[in-house]
Amino acid sequence: MTPDEPRPAPRRSVNIVAFICTGVVLGVIGGGIVDLLGPAAPTYNNASSLAFLAAVGALIGALAGGLLGSALDVMAERRR
């Protein structure tokens, strides 16, 4: 590269890990809300149902966050 040539702009990308972590946190919160507002399960205690719904919410949130982050990264790359 000669001094006269302009430097290419660095590629800016979406931080997908941040989207996944945010999805996990929101999923856990959503699972907790569903557990608190939903009917009580007669065969499980409150802690078990909360842990189960929080885990399911975390998985769904991680998947949704990853998909959203990937979609935004593809859209940002197309704009360039």
Side-chain angles (χ1 to χ4, degrees), residues 2 4 6 15 18-19 24 31 34 41 46 49 63 75 77 79:
T2 63
D4 296 338
N15 187 356
F19 276 88
V24 167
V34 167
N46 290 339
S49 63
L63 180 63
M75 289 172 41
E77 188 64 30
R79 249 184 215 176

Side-chain angles (χ1 to χ4, degrees), residues 12-72:
R12 294 185 54 109
S13 63
V14 175
N15 187 356
I16 295 177
V17 175
F19 276 88
I20 293 172
C21 291
T22 303
V24 167
V25 169
L26 292 176
V28 167
I29 292 170
I33 290 172
V34 167
D35 182 56
L36 290 174
L37 298 179
T43 56
Y44 300 107
N45 62 15
N46 290 339
S48 295
S49 63
L50 175 62
F52 177 74
L53 290 173
V56 170
L59 289 172
I60 293 171
L63 180 63
L67 289 173
L68 178 65
S70 297
L72 289 175

